[in-house]
Amino acid sequence: MSAACDLLIYVQHLLGIGHFRRAALIAREAAAQGLQVTVATGGHPVPDADFGAARVVQLEPPIKTKDEAFSALVLGDGSLLDDAVKQARSEQLLALFAAERPKVLLTEMFPFGRRQMRFELVPLLEAARAAPWRPQIVSSVRDILTTLKQPGKIAWIVETAQRFYDRILVHGDPRLIPFERTFPQVAALGDRIRYTGYVVDSRIPERVAGAGGEILISTGGGAVAEPLVRAVIDAYPTSPYRDRTWRVLIGYSLAEERFQALCALAPEGLLIERSRSDFLTLLSRAALSISQAGYNTSLEVLAAGVPAVVVPFAAGGESEQTLRARLLAESGRLVLAEEAGLSGARLNDAMARAFALSQTAPRERALQLGAAPVSLDGAVETARQLAALADRSK
């Protein structure tokens, strides 16, 4: 019988890569703190992913969402998942669990999201509950949930959490965004909930006053990049800031033919590239950041202290990015530009406001709430709590 690993993490990204990146940061830090970590990932491979010393296992076949509305799960060629694929993936996951014998099992976002994956996660959780070594079962969840619209979904989440989970790690700070803001049934989960602070990559270089001068436009995984990139292309020719280099980074989730079509539209002086491994360095040196408002990018912009415009993704009824962007805009740390009706003129106006804000607001590397800063050490604290749970299971 093989020795137990300390931590088995399950993560499934379907559209963007925010969940994947947050899980990678947690896995990397947990391994750095001495835990033996295995990660089961079910989405399409992400170039330059860094899990540190953690072992990564790719579930086959990788799957994604059909569209921005998450209407169905599909394979890489766009074909719908059938029962045979679901069964095969579930068997892979159960075999990995049996082989690793983890002391702690962590599911990223589930049951608060990724309900589409219950065909493989519920059998995994049932196996964990019945295992002779009975691992601690943990949910890893961001600060804001997408609006829950389906009747009965909240009740299902509560029942599933009560049935299976020992701990729910909320990656946020309740002074900024309490979990009950988007999940009012927090009381039903009792003392399972623990806040960790925000999970932010600690490798962001110190910002040097007056450094750089680029306008850096980042689109995360790139799956929903086109509206923002087209607004940037529209803004550039008439922008008062076109004497600077404008650099657009688009992730690999945007199909190559669509990426090339955007490149063909770009005027001279506007660079469009695929995502780069030195993004954090580019961010720390930028004169201005323009991005969507996902969890990872928003917090990296905050930690870097760079003037910023955020354009929250809001298609398909998504509300998470808009709420985060509004709260951060109210704090005076960035400028919000709504995705609906975004034009070059509106984007140039938002850029002007962001530059003006940077002249009047202090640019600390953390957001102050009263006397104390918002915690951006969530990866370290999450790893610490997971290590304690692994020790408890001895």
Side-chain angles (χ1 to χ4, degrees):
M1 183 177 296
S2 62
C5 79
D6 294 305
L7 173 64
L8 174 61
I9 297 175
Y10 169 97
V11 59
Q12 171 69 55
H13 62 287
L14 294 173
L15 184 64
I17 61 171
H19 298 278
F20 181 88
R21 290 185 60 208
R22 187 164 55 249
L25 286 170
I26 291 168
R28 192 167 74 222
E29 181 58 37
Q33 290 193 25
L35 298 184
Q36 182 180 338
V37 182
T38 298
V39 180
T41 175
H44 288 264
V46 177
D48 299 321
D50 183 2
F51 285 85
R55 175 186 176 222
V56 180
V57 177
Q58 174 70 55
L59 300 177
E60 296 291 347
I63 60 179
K64 61 182 180 179
T65 183
K66 179 181 179 181
D67 50 37
E68 297 171 3
F70 295 86
S71 62
L73 299 178
V74 297
L75 303 178
D77 62 3
S79 60
L80 295 175
L81 261 67
D82 58 24
D83 289 342
V85 170
K86 292 180 179 180
Q87 182 65 28
R89 293 236 330 182
S90 180
E91 290 175 358
Q92 289 174 57
L93 200 52
L94 290 172
L96 179 64
F97 174 78
E100 295 296 308
R101 296 174 55 85
K103 297 175 184 176
V104 179
L105 170 65
L106 182 148
T107 60
E108 201 285 325
M109 204 64 184
F110 192 84
F112 300 93
R114 295 296 180 263
R115 202 160 78 122
Q116 308 99 311
M117 308 308 300
R118 58 191 182 275
F119 68 85
E120 63 187 16
L121 281 173
V122 170
L124 175 65
L125 293 169
E126 289 173 341
R129 290 286 293 179
W133 67 92
R134 177 58 172 93
Q136 295 289 298
I137 303 176
V138 179
S139 174
S140 167
V141 61
R142 67 183 178 222
D143 56 344
I144 299 174
L145 301 181
T146 299
T147 302
L148 304 173
K149 298 179 180 179
Q150 298 176 13
K153 185 174 181 181
I154 294 178
W156 178 87
I157 292 171
V158 170
E159 188 277 331
T160 304
Q162 291 175 335
R163 178 184 174 193
F164 292 114
Y165 285 83
D166 302 294
R167 189 65 52 85
I168 297 162
L169 300 182
V170 180
H171 304 306
D173 188 320
R175 297 170 303 145
L176 180 62
I177 307 173
F179 194 47
E180 55 265 31
R181 178 75 179 260
T182 52
F183 191 77
Q185 287 70 23
V186 164
L189 303 179
D191 62 358
R192 293 176 178 84
I193 291 180
R194 301 285 192 280
Y195 286 91
T196 67
Y198 285 96
V199 175
V200 184
D201 198 318
S202 62
R203 298 173 298 180
I204 300 174
E206 287 286 343
R207 183 168 174 78
V208 178
E214 290 188 350
I215 308 295
L216 181 65
I217 302 98
S218 54
T219 64
V224 292
E226 289 186 76
L228 174 56
V229 177
R230 289 180 182 276
V232 168
I233 291 171
D234 185 39
Y236 180 81
T238 59
S239 175
Y241 312 111
R242 64 184 178 276
D243 58 324
R244 300 177 182 269
T245 297
W246 290 36
R247 188 184 305 275
V248 181
L249 302 180
I250 303 177
Y252 288 86
S253 296
L254 185 70
E256 182 63 21
E257 62 271 18
R258 292 163 69 184
F259 173 77
Q260 292 298 336
L262 291 173
C263 290
L265 293 174
E268 185 177 354
L270 177 61
L271 307 177
I272 298 183
E273 306 172 351
R274 286 297 193 179
S275 295
R276 293 171 44 152
S277 59
D278 61 348
F279 168 70
L280 295 178
T281 298
L282 292 174
L283 181 64
S284 71
R285 296 175 179 174
L288 177 75
S289 165
I290 302 173
S291 69
Q292 293 167 321
Y295 179 102
N296 297 296
T297 304
S298 295
L299 272 296
E300 287 164 353
V301 167
L302 184 68
V306 60
V309 174
V310 293
V311 182
F313 168 62
E318 288 291 315
S319 57
E320 175 236 338
Q321 291 198 14
T322 298
L323 176 56
R324 179 177 297 106
R326 286 176 178 167
L327 290 170
L328 291 175
E330 289 170 4
S331 77
R333 293 305 301 267
L334 48 76
V335 170
L336 165 64
E338 299 283 358
E339 183 180 61
L342 185 64
S343 65
R346 286 185 52 206
L347 189 57
N348 276 325
D349 175 70
M351 293 168 66
R353 287 185 284 124
F355 275 121
L357 182 65
S358 70
Q359 299 302 312
T360 59
R363 309 308 304 172
E364 300 92 349
R365 286 172 60 87
L367 172 63
Q368 292 287 134
L369 287 179
V374 171
S375 172
L376 302 180
D377 294 325
V380 173
E381 175 60 18
T382 298
R384 187 195 67 77
Q385 293 196 35
L386 292 171
L389 289 172
D391 187 66
R392 177 187 298 180
S393 68
K394 290 179 180 178

Tab-separated table of all heavy atoms in Angstrom, residues 62-91:
chain	number	residue	atom	x	y	z
A	62	PRO	N	-9.845	16.249	-21.366
A	62	PRO	CA	-10.143	17.564	-20.792
A	62	PRO	C	-11.452	18.102	-21.367
A	62	PRO	O	-11.792	17.813	-22.517
A	62	PRO	CB	-8.947	18.420	-21.201
A	62	PRO	CG	-8.355	17.719	-22.373
A	62	PRO	CD	-8.639	16.264	-22.198
A	63	ILE	N	-12.158	18.883	-20.556
A	63	ILE	CA	-13.441	19.408	-20.997
A	63	ILE	C	-13.534	20.903	-20.722
A	63	ILE	O	-12.745	21.473	-19.957
A	63	ILE	CB	-14.618	18.675	-20.323
A	63	ILE	CG1	-14.554	18.835	-18.794
A	63	ILE	CG2	-14.616	17.197	-20.692
A	63	ILE	CD1	-15.691	18.165	-18.076
A	64	LYS	N	-14.494	21.548	-21.357
A	64	LYS	CA	-14.725	22.979	-21.198
A	64	LYS	C	-16.212	23.254	-21.355
A	64	LYS	O	-17.005	22.336	-21.627
A	64	LYS	CB	-13.920	23.768	-22.231
A	64	LYS	CG	-14.284	23.447	-23.677
A	64	LYS	CD	-13.419	24.234	-24.657
A	64	LYS	CE	-13.783	23.903	-26.099
A	64	LYS	NZ	-12.953	24.693	-27.066
A	65	THR	N	-16.611	24.523	-21.208
A	65	THR	CA	-18.002	24.886	-21.423
A	65	THR	C	-18.243	25.216	-22.884
A	65	THR	O	-17.341	25.691	-23.593
A	65	THR	CB	-18.410	26.082	-20.547
A	65	THR	OG1	-19.807	26.352	-20.733
A	65	THR	CG2	-17.622	27.325	-20.906
A	66	LYS	N	-19.456	24.968	-23.334
A	66	LYS	CA	-19.815	25.218	-24.726
A	66	LYS	C	-19.810	26.696	-25.054
A	66	LYS	O	-19.422	27.105	-26.152
A	66	LYS	CB	-21.190	24.618	-25.017
A	66	LYS	CG	-21.690	24.837	-26.428
A	66	LYS	CD	-23.079	24.233	-26.616
A	66	LYS	CE	-23.619	24.471	-28.019
A	66	LYS	NZ	-24.980	23.900	-28.180
A	67	ASP	N	-20.226	27.537	-24.080
A	67	ASP	CA	-20.388	28.963	-24.355
A	67	ASP	C	-20.311	29.755	-23.061
A	67	ASP	O	-20.121	29.189	-21.975
A	67	ASP	CB	-21.726	29.234	-25.069
A	67	ASP	CG	-22.905	28.571	-24.354
A	67	ASP	OD1	-22.905	28.531	-23.106
A	67	ASP	OD2	-23.827	28.089	-25.040
A	68	GLU	N	-20.461	31.071	-23.179
A	68	GLU	CA	-20.345	31.960	-22.018
A	68	GLU	C	-21.469	31.762	-21.010
A	68	GLU	O	-21.341	32.152	-19.850
A	68	GLU	CB	-20.325	33.416	-22.491
A	68	GLU	CG	-19.122	33.749	-23.358
A	68	GLU	CD	-19.221	35.125	-23.984
A	68	GLU	OE1	-20.202	35.845	-23.691
A	68	GLU	OE2	-18.340	35.485	-24.783
A	69	ALA	N	-22.582	31.169	-21.447
A	69	ALA	CA	-23.710	30.918	-20.550
A	69	ALA	C	-23.573	29.588	-19.813
A	69	ALA	O	-24.461	29.221	-19.041
A	69	ALA	CB	-25.012	30.937	-21.337
A	70	PHE	N	-22.483	28.857	-20.048
A	70	PHE	CA	-22.247	27.554	-19.411
A	70	PHE	C	-23.420	26.605	-19.670
A	70	PHE	O	-23.863	25.878	-18.780
A	70	PHE	CB	-22.024	27.722	-17.900
A	70	PHE	CG	-20.774	28.481	-17.559
A	70	PHE	CD1	-20.786	29.875	-17.502
A	70	PHE	CD2	-19.588	27.835	-17.300
A	70	PHE	CE1	-19.635	30.594	-17.194
A	70	PHE	CE2	-18.430	28.537	-16.991
A	70	PHE	CZ	-18.454	29.920	-16.946
A	71	SER	N	-23.891	26.609	-20.908
A	71	SER	CA	-25.098	25.849	-21.238
A	71	SER	C	-24.858	24.349	-21.331
A	71	SER	O	-25.789	23.551	-21.182
A	71	SER	CB	-25.688	26.344	-22.562
A	71	SER	OG	-24.770	26.144	-23.634
A	72	ALA	N	-23.617	23.932	-21.583
A	72	ALA	CA	-23.311	22.506	-21.707
A	72	ALA	C	-21.816	22.294	-21.594
A	72	ALA	O	-21.020	23.213	-21.824
A	72	ALA	CB	-23.813	21.959	-23.052
A	73	LEU	N	-21.435	21.079	-21.249
A	73	LEU	CA	-20.021	20.692	-21.207
A	73	LEU	C	-19.657	20.003	-22.514
A	73	LEU	O	-20.413	19.171	-23.023
A	73	LEU	CB	-19.752	19.747	-20.032
A	73	LEU	CG	-20.030	20.306	-18.639
A	73	LEU	CD1	-19.772	19.232	-17.589
A	73	LEU	CD2	-19.203	21.547	-18.365
A	74	VAL	N	-18.474	20.352	-23.052
A	74	VAL	CA	-18.050	19.794	-24.334
A	74	VAL	C	-16.586	19.377	-24.286
A	74	VAL	O	-15.819	19.803	-23.415
A	74	VAL	CB	-18.256	20.806	-25.487
A	74	VAL	CG1	-19.735	21.147	-25.656
A	74	VAL	CG2	-17.440	22.075	-25.259
A	75	LEU	N	-16.218	18.561	-25.255
A	75	LEU	CA	-14.818	18.183	-25.447
A	75	LEU	C	-14.120	19.242	-26.287
A	75	LEU	O	-14.741	20.220	-26.720
A	75	LEU	CB	-14.750	16.820	-26.128
A	75	LEU	CG	-15.460	15.675	-25.412
A	75	LEU	CD1	-15.359	14.390	-26.230
A	75	LEU	CD2	-14.891	15.465	-24.020
A	76	GLY	N	-12.860	19.034	-26.541
A	76	GLY	CA	-12.089	20.014	-27.291
A	76	GLY	C	-12.616	20.256	-28.687
A	76	GLY	O	-12.489	21.366	-29.221
A	77	ASP	N	-13.238	19.239	-29.314
A	77	ASP	CA	-13.775	19.404	-30.659
A	77	ASP	C	-15.197	19.946	-30.680
A	77	ASP	O	-15.809	20.060	-31.738
A	77	ASP	CB	-13.722	18.071	-31.422
A	77	ASP	CG	-14.584	16.980	-30.752
A	77	ASP	OD1	-15.255	17.273	-29.738
A	77	ASP	OD2	-14.565	15.831	-31.258
A	78	GLY	N	-15.723	20.298	-29.492
A	78	GLY	CA	-17.071	20.857	-29.418
A	78	GLY	C	-18.169	19.846	-29.231
A	78	GLY	O	-19.337	20.225	-29.045
A	79	SER	N	-17.853	18.556	-29.236
A	79	SER	CA	-18.889	17.535	-29.060
A	79	SER	C	-19.299	17.442	-27.592
A	79	SER	O	-18.485	17.630	-26.685
A	79	SER	CB	-18.393	16.179	-29.560
A	79	SER	OG	-17.234	15.773	-28.852
A	80	LEU	N	-20.568	17.143	-27.377
A	80	LEU	CA	-21.103	17.072	-26.025
A	80	LEU	C	-20.557	15.860	-25.278
A	80	LEU	O	-20.280	14.814	-25.878
A	80	LEU	CB	-22.628	17.003	-26.069
A	80	LEU	CG	-23.366	18.235	-26.619
A	80	LEU	CD1	-24.852	17.952	-26.716
A	80	LEU	CD2	-23.110	19.454	-25.744
A	81	LEU	N	-20.427	16.002	-23.968
A	81	LEU	CA	-20.041	14.872	-23.140
A	81	LEU	C	-21.141	13.821	-23.150
A	81	LEU	O	-22.318	14.160	-23.047
A	81	LEU	CB	-19.818	15.321	-21.690
A	81	LEU	CG	-18.381	15.575	-21.260
A	81	LEU	CD1	-17.833	16.774	-21.999
A	81	LEU	CD2	-18.312	15.788	-19.765
A	82	ASP	N	-20.745	12.574	-23.269
A	82	ASP	CA	-21.728	11.507	-23.140
A	82	ASP	C	-21.470	10.741	-21.851
A	82	ASP	O	-20.508	11.010	-21.119
A	82	ASP	CB	-21.709	10.580	-24.355
A	82	ASP	CG	-20.337	9.933	-24.597
A	82	ASP	OD1	-19.546	9.824	-23.627
A	82	ASP	OD2	-20.067	9.550	-25.745
A	83	ASP	N	-22.326	9.778	-21.558
A	83	ASP	CA	-22.217	9.049	-20.297
A	83	ASP	C	-20.922	8.256	-20.201
A	83	ASP	O	-20.373	8.084	-19.110
A	83	ASP	CB	-23.421	8.120	-20.131
A	83	ASP	CG	-24.714	8.870	-19.853
A	83	ASP	OD1	-24.625	10.047	-19.444
A	83	ASP	OD2	-25.797	8.289	-20.045
A	84	ALA	N	-20.428	7.787	-21.338
A	84	ALA	CA	-19.184	7.013	-21.314
A	84	ALA	C	-18.003	7.868	-20.888
A	84	ALA	O	-17.147	7.437	-20.101
A	84	ALA	CB	-18.928	6.404	-22.700
A	85	VAL	N	-17.940	9.110	-21.391
A	85	VAL	CA	-16.867	10.023	-20.996
A	85	VAL	C	-16.988	10.366	-19.519
A	85	VAL	O	-15.986	10.377	-18.778
A	85	VAL	CB	-16.894	11.294	-21.861
A	85	VAL	CG1	-15.935	12.337	-21.301
A	85	VAL	CG2	-16.534	10.976	-23.300
A	86	LYS	N	-18.187	10.641	-19.074
A	86	LYS	CA	-18.387	10.966	-17.660
A	86	LYS	C	-17.945	9.806	-16.764
A	86	LYS	O	-17.270	10.013	-15.749
A	86	LYS	CB	-19.851	11.304	-17.405
A	86	LYS	CG	-20.313	12.602	-18.041
A	86	LYS	CD	-21.791	12.857	-17.746
A	86	LYS	CE	-22.258	14.166	-18.353
A	86	LYS	NZ	-23.685	14.437	-18.088
A	87	GLN	N	-18.303	8.587	-17.153
A	87	GLN	CA	-17.929	7.429	-16.358
A	87	GLN	C	-16.422	7.245	-16.333
A	87	GLN	O	-15.830	6.958	-15.292
A	87	GLN	CB	-18.605	6.178	-16.916
A	87	GLN	CG	-18.329	4.903	-16.130
A	87	GLN	CD	-18.893	4.949	-14.719
A	87	GLN	OE1	-19.882	5.645	-14.461
A	87	GLN	NE2	-18.262	4.238	-13.795
A	88	ALA	N	-15.779	7.446	-17.496
A	88	ALA	CA	-14.331	7.291	-17.570
A	88	ALA	C	-13.621	8.308	-16.688
A	88	ALA	O	-12.650	7.972	-15.989
A	88	ALA	CB	-13.864	7.426	-19.020
A	89	ARG	N	-14.079	9.535	-16.710
A	89	ARG	CA	-13.444	10.567	-15.875
A	89	ARG	C	-13.654	10.253	-14.395
A	89	ARG	O	-12.738	10.399	-13.577
A	89	ARG	CB	-14.029	11.945	-16.213
A	89	ARG	CG	-13.684	12.446	-17.600
A	89	ARG	CD	-13.013	13.775	-17.615
A	89	ARG	NE	-13.330	14.693	-16.561
A	89	ARG	CZ	-12.824	15.918	-16.483
A	89	ARG	NH1	-11.987	16.361	-17.412
A	89	ARG	NH2	-13.132	16.720	-15.481
A	90	SER	N	-14.857	9.834	-14.037
A	90	SER	CA	-15.131	9.506	-12.645
A	90	SER	C	-14.241	8.368	-12.159
A	90	SER	O	-13.695	8.414	-11.045
A	90	SER	CB	-16.605	9.133	-12.486
A	90	SER	OG	-16.902	8.801	-11.140
A	91	GLU	N	-14.051	7.364	-12.993
A	91	GLU	CA	-13.205	6.232	-12.612
A	91	GLU	C	-11.750	6.657	-12.452
A	91	GLU	O	-11.053	6.183	-11.547
A	91	GLU	CB	-13.340	5.124	-13.660
A	91	GLU	CG	-14.703	4.434	-13.627
A	91	GLU	CD	-14.884	3.418	-14.745
A	91	GLU	OE1	-13.946	3.274	-15.570
A	91	GLU	OE2	-15.943	2.775	-14.799
